[in-house]
Amino acid sequence: MLVLFETSVGYAIFKVLNEKKLQEVDSLWKEFETPEKANKIVKLKHFEKFQDTAEALAAFTALMEGKINKQLKKVLKKIVKEAHEPLAVADAKLGGVIKEKLNLSCIHSPVVNELMRGIRSQMDGLIPGVEPREMAAMCLGLAHSLSRYRLKFSADKVDTMIVQAISLLDDLDKELNNYIMRCREWYGWHFPELGKIISDNLTYCKCLQKVGDRKNYASAQLSELLPEEVEAEVKAAAEISMGTEVSEEDICNILHLCTQVIEISEYRTQLYEYLQNRMMAIAPNVTVMVGELVGARLIAHAGSLLNLAKHAASTVQILGAEKALFRALKSRRDTPKYGLIYHASLVGQTSPKHKGKISRMLAAKTVLAIRYDAFGEDSSSAMGVENRAKLEARLRTLEDRGIRKISGTGKALAKAEKYEHKSEVKTYDPSGDSTLPTCSKKRKIEEVDKEDEVIEKKAKKAKIKVKG
Amino acid sequence: MKPGFSPRGGGFGGRGGFGDRGGRGGGRGGFGGGHRHEGVFICRGKEDALVTKNLVPGESVYGEKRVSIAEGDDKIEYRAWNPFRSKLAAAILGGIDQIHIKPGAKVLYLGAASGTTVSHVSDIVGPDGLVYAVEFSHRSGRDLINLAKKRTNIIPVIEDARHPHKYRMLIAMVDVIFADVAQPDQTRIVALNAHTFLRNGGHFVISIKANCIDSTASAEAVFASEVKKMQQENMKPQEQLTLEPYERDHAVVVGVYRPPPKVKN
């Protein structure tokens, strides 16, 4: 009788040497107490080794589905058909399939189970040429592959990529800013005016890379990078610059830095595109609701999409504003109304009065989208689109209600004011005609008398003087 | 080893022999020393805690507290074991005689769930031992696989434990089977796995939830019927312990499978 024994390193076919011992099922275990004894009762006839984990995975997934894969078929045909002996198998169903497909007689009984136990306990000794460490490694690899196969693991749905990508994006931005500031400062020593003329960082670096030393500006062609007036300004400034001269080596180093900056900028745009793609693949509904960046930041903040899905809607609303939240809770003040969700486009396009309301509504619908993406089977964004449309409609009604509120509520509109006729007659005011200071021509009686006295006295004095 | 089979009910007082009483001052957690069971330790402090040595220092599996104790030059990290979450910890604190899970052992763990107790078993058996963790649920299976990525002595098997022949190619002979499956036919499940994978003279530790087997009968009756089923399957129970005060109507049964025949002098 032959025995088919499957291991993680390959198929083993044993031949039972002493069939009489099989009659005593209960004492069969004694035969497998030591490797030497075991070798006397069964002998390894053929060992079909798997080349790698992939082959082992294919073999055992076929076995699990109740089929025989090509490798096993080949082995069985070669060995068992020639021997014309019945084959003992551990699984009755497998035996049935083998009988059907290859027309070999299979046995499955308690005796076979005992035999399998014995072989398993002496596995190391019975299969020479397989090191225990190799067996252990294959076993571990195969277990992980089989589990992944069972869980229908798909490599695109790994959200670790998103968490890492968004962290890298932030890191790149910081580094880029540092390098650009350093570049400006360094080159500003040589040509400070360029920094003031060109405000965009990437253009500055490209310009620098093209030209280098101040002397070359006159002959350089900067038309692709800069508009004409700016180019003219730059060239003019280069003539009358107050920066110092620098040597070739120094310019060389500055140019190296510039090249680095440009490379990192390009990588950053590429990384952003990659992030957008991944977000669409992993969480399409969330992307539709809040956008890629905000969605990625939410996932990164929670740690994983599954963790994010476990949060309540109110938590998602203030995720990212924890410091403000706990400070407000401790001092019993008003808690913040929005966290990371503030940067979503829906919240950004509302007036400040309604941002809180919209943030709450958006958080509620976003949480539904998150759970749909985390636990749902299909990956379509129909649900997200629908919810977003609902939110936008609600946003519009909110704004309309707001406009009416400026002129009073509905009730106030209905209440009409009592009509009172005020007759107003407007006359022309001549006080605006002349710019001289106005004094009224009608003077008061006491003033007039006093003034006449003064004038008479002066007149008398004057007369006396004249005479004398 | 008690001869025959003697059930120990609840209310069994704390056993002596819990390592030496270090009795370090309150506030700072002092290390109390080893437990009677190998691989398990006690941390003394404001509250005493059962701890295991962390196989992956610096990482917490399910948010449990970690303690770093300096031993000479290097620091060893221990993880606290919660008896309210883990039946094995409850059994150890209840005073079970032998858990049979020791450094270097090969353990088959049925009903691994998300891997909270599996991680502690993995700590106990150490890098030389192996834990085959069997769990059928896909959600828990995902957490189990993530755990197995970090600890290489855990082998995850996402299969139904009722059909051991389906994962026969992954598992070699084991020394101990720990079962926490909470199924009405759990004795049959353990028996099938024992017939396939448990070596002669190996041990089994089964956690029985009375409500799960039969919610109408009393807990004692359920435990007795389970023990009887075990005896019919060539599994010899040696101890039974209820898990009061950590769980209600739960018991742990420890026994030996196919013990080697006693040599009569």
Side-chain angles (χ1 to χ4, degrees):
Chain A
M1 183 163 79
L2 296 173
V3 184
L4 174 67
F5 187 75
E6 302 94 340
T7 66
S8 49
V9 275
Y11 296 113
I13 299 194
F14 292 92
K15 178 158 171 51
V16 178
L17 297 169
N18 196 340
E19 305 237 352
K20 278 200 208 134
K21 295 264 166 116
L22 293 180
Q23 313 278 343
E24 310 138 27
V25 180
D26 289 328
S27 56
L28 198 55
W29 61 272
K30 285 198 202 128
E31 307 298 326
F32 288 98
E33 268 178 324
T34 63
E36 294 82 31
K37 274 175 121 181
N39 268 308
K40 290 210 186 101
I41 185 160
V42 288
K43 196 183 82 167
L44 179 66
K45 185 145 183 190
H46 178 79
F47 185 62
E48 180 80 15
K49 201 167 175 181
F50 295 131
Q51 298 299 328
D52 54 12
T53 336
E55 224 181 275
L57 179 66
F60 291 126
T61 47
L63 222 67
M64 273 205 258
E65 288 163 21
K67 299 187 201 137
I68 318 176
N69 75 332
K70 288 204 184 108
Q71 202 181 20
L72 183 58
K73 225 184 223 180
K74 211 169 61 178
V75 171
L76 288 176
K77 270 194 191 157
K78 195 169 74 171
I79 307 294
V80 185
K81 267 207 166 136
E82 285 175 18
H84 293 289
E85 284 184 43
L87 181 69
V89 285
D91 182 10
K93 270 198 205 144
L94 179 63
V97 175
I98 292 178
K99 174 125 195 194
E100 209 184 294
K101 293 269 167 73
L102 298 172
N103 215 358
L104 298 162
S105 59
C106 293
I107 312 176
H108 177 72
S109 65
V111 174
V112 172
N113 282 337
E114 272 301 312
L115 207 53
M116 294 288 184
R117 251 183 88 87
I119 296 176
R120 194 185 296 277
S121 56
Q122 295 296 344
M123 205 158 56
D124 291 333
L126 286 171
I127 307 181
V130 177
E131 268 191 55
R133 248 181 307 153
E134 191 191 341
M135 175 89 88
M138 265 303 250
C139 203
L140 191 59
L142 181 62
H144 276 271
S145 316
L146 269 174
S147 320
R148 280 203 210 120
Y149 170 80
R150 276 308 227 144
L151 295 180
K152 294 185 190 63
F153 171 82
S154 96
D156 335 319
K157 291 239 167 188
V158 178
D159 52 7
T160 333
M161 305 295 143
I162 302 239
V163 175
Q164 299 296 336
I166 193 93
S167 313
L168 181 60
L169 206 65
D170 289 334
D171 283 342
L172 276 183
D173 282 334
K174 252 187 249 170
E175 284 306 308
L176 206 55
N177 196 32
N178 273 341
Y179 286 0
I180 283 177
M181 289 298 121
R182 177 65 55 208
C183 193
R184 276 182 184 256
E185 216 187 299
W186 201 352
Y187 194 65
W189 190 241
H190 175 60
F191 185 10
E193 289 79 9
L194 188 66
K196 291 189 201 103
I197 298 173
I198 305 181
S199 51
D200 178 41
N201 293 322
L202 200 55
T203 329
Y204 185 93
C205 288
K206 285 198 179 142
C207 193
L208 216 171
Q209 198 183 42
K210 246 193 164 171
V211 188
D213 203 311
R214 215 168 47 217
K215 305 187 271 282
N216 308 339
Y217 269 103
S219 50
Q221 275 287 15
L222 300 167
S223 41
E224 309 107 49
L225 294 171
L226 306 166
E228 278 182 30
E229 321 91 48
V230 184
E231 195 185 336
E233 248 184 278
V234 166
K235 291 197 172 154
E239 306 282 323
I240 50 164
S241 173
M242 54 175 171
T244 52
E245 300 291 326
V246 279
S247 66
E248 270 301 310
E249 275 178 33
D250 304 328
I251 288 285
C252 209
N253 276 313
I254 302 180
L255 281 175
H256 277 310
L257 178 58
C258 268
T259 334
Q260 278 298 315
V261 169
I262 293 173
E263 268 180 40
I264 294 182
S265 285
E266 279 166 14
Y267 178 56
R268 192 211 176 276
T269 22
Q270 204 193 355
L271 184 66
Y272 186 62
E273 269 176 47
Y274 165 75
L275 180 64
Q276 284 175 315
N277 285 339
R278 289 271 108 228
M279 272 304 285
M280 245 352 243
I282 292 178
N285 292 291
V286 177
T287 320
V288 164
M289 293 292 305
V290 286
E292 289 98 2
L293 260 186
V294 176
R297 276 192 209 281
L298 284 172
I299 295 179
H301 195 282
S304 79
L305 190 56
L306 239 70
N307 273 350
L308 185 60
K310 291 182 191 167
H311 287 308
S314 50
T315 311
V316 172
Q317 187 182 350
I318 46 153
L319 213 55
E322 280 86 7
K323 190 165 163 214
L325 173 71
F326 289 114
R327 189 178 58 210
L329 284 173
K330 270 188 218 166
S331 51
R332 272 173 244 183
R333 284 185 293 170
D334 282 344
T335 51
K337 295 188 282 295
Y338 19 69
L340 286 167
I341 241 175
Y342 188 77
H343 302 284
S345 53
L346 269 175
V347 178
Q349 71 193 33
T350 59
S351 52
K353 259 199 301 178
H354 305 302
K355 276 205 214 288
K357 268 213 176 80
I358 290 293
S359 145
R360 179 170 36 87
M361 292 196 260
L362 181 61
K365 292 297 179 198
T366 309
V367 143
L368 290 176
I370 293 169
R371 289 174 194 167
Y372 190 87
D373 284 328
F375 299 116
E377 297 299 307
D378 64 339
S379 58
S380 73
S381 56
M383 179 253 194
V385 171
E386 222 182 286
N387 277 336
R388 193 181 171 108
K390 269 193 223 163
L391 270 181
E392 278 168 355
R394 245 190 264 166
L395 175 60
R396 251 173 276 131
T397 41
L398 199 65
E399 297 283 317
D400 289 343
R401 240 192 297 150
I403 293 171
R404 256 196 273 150
K405 263 197 176 161
I406 292 167
S407 57
T409 56
K411 289 183 190 164
L413 277 179
K415 211 194 302 174
E417 282 181 14
K418 185 178 171 188
Y419 177 67
E420 282 169 19
H421 175 68
K422 293 177 195 143
S423 71
E424 281 181 45
V425 179
K426 291 204 168 153
T427 52
Y428 178 69
D429 180 19
S431 61
D433 285 341
S434 144
T435 50
L436 294 168
T438 50
C439 47
S440 165
K441 285 194 178 152
K442 285 187 183 172
R443 292 178 289 176
K444 290 198 177 157
I445 299 169
E446 306 98 53
E447 281 177 38
V448 170
D449 282 26
K450 273 190 190 163
E451 276 187 45
D452 282 348
E453 280 174 15
V454 168
I455 291 171
E456 277 174 15
K457 276 187 185 168
K458 278 189 180 172
K460 280 181 186 171
K461 281 185 183 173
K463 276 181 185 173
I464 294 167
K465 273 191 177 176
V466 165
K467 272 191 179 176
Chain B
M1 260 327 191
K2 289 207 174 2
F5 170 61
S6 55
R8 257 182 270 161
F12 193 79
R15 263 184 93 100
F18 266 105
D20 49 7
R21 301 206 157 249
R24 257 151 256 195
R28 259 188 91 246
F31 191 58
H35 200 274
R36 184 163 45 87
H37 303 298
E38 256 186 270
V40 183
F41 305 92
I42 298 184
C43 183
R44 307 247 173 228
K46 246 192 307 179
E47 307 114 8
D48 293 354
L50 199 65
V51 294
T52 57
K53 186 163 160 192
N54 200 352
L55 195 69
V56 186
E59 286 209 22
S60 211
V61 172
Y62 53 97
E64 74 277 16
K65 289 219 155 47
R66 290 170 287 137
V67 180
S68 257
I69 307 284
E71 296 232 342
D73 274 340
D74 36 57
K75 286 199 154 221
I76 305 186
E77 200 181 60
Y78 296 90
R79 288 188 305 129
W81 201 352
N82 186 352
F84 290 95
R85 280 181 81 157
S86 168
K87 311 265 182 351
L88 191 54
I92 293 175
L93 286 174
I96 202 151
D97 197 18
Q98 278 279 6
I99 52 170
H100 301 292
I101 298 176
K102 48 169 82 82
K106 312 243 182 313
V107 182
L108 173 63
Y109 196 118
L110 303 174
S114 299
T116 49
T117 309
V118 176
S119 66
H120 286 287
V121 174
S122 148
D123 282 343
I124 296 177
V125 300
D128 296 325
L130 269 181
V131 184
Y132 299 94
V134 178
E135 171 57 41
F136 193 36
S137 146
H138 284 208
R139 292 274 156 76
S140 308
R142 263 181 263 264
D143 293 331
L144 192 62
I145 289 186
N146 283 331
L147 182 68
K149 277 188 205 154
K150 301 207 186 104
R151 286 158 183 264
T152 47
N153 63 352
I154 298 183
I155 297 189
V157 180
I158 314 291
E159 286 292 342
D160 190 355
R162 288 197 175 89
H163 307 118
H165 60 85
K166 286 202 172 155
Y167 45 93
R168 64 185 183 273
M169 68 292 281
L170 293 170
I171 304 185
M173 285 310 238
V174 295
D175 303 318
V176 191
I177 291 187
F178 182 87
D180 188 10
V181 288
Q183 295 284 315
D185 57 342
Q186 64 180 42
T187 316
R188 189 185 65 96
I189 296 175
V190 177
L192 278 173
N193 279 283
H195 293 327
T196 320
F197 300 120
L198 189 55
R199 67 168 169 84
N200 287 4
H203 298 268
F204 56 88
V205 182
I206 306 183
S207 148
I208 306 175
K209 180 174 173 182
N211 253 354
C212 186
I213 311 279
D214 186 353
S215 47
T216 52
S218 80
E220 304 305 327
V222 170
F223 299 147
S225 78
E226 287 300 300
V227 163
K228 208 157 135 206
K229 280 188 218 167
M230 282 178 218
Q231 283 162 334
Q232 287 165 350
E233 295 271 359
N234 217 350
M235 293 156 69
K236 304 213 177 345
Q238 288 170 324
E239 303 180 57
Q240 176 185 321
L241 175 70
T242 59
L243 297 182
E244 313 266 294
Y246 305 106
E247 308 271 357
R248 210 194 318 172
D249 293 338
H250 275 71
V252 162
V253 174
V254 180
V256 66
Y257 178 67
R258 292 213 203 172
K262 287 205 181 117
V263 180
K264 289 197 178 135
N265 292 335

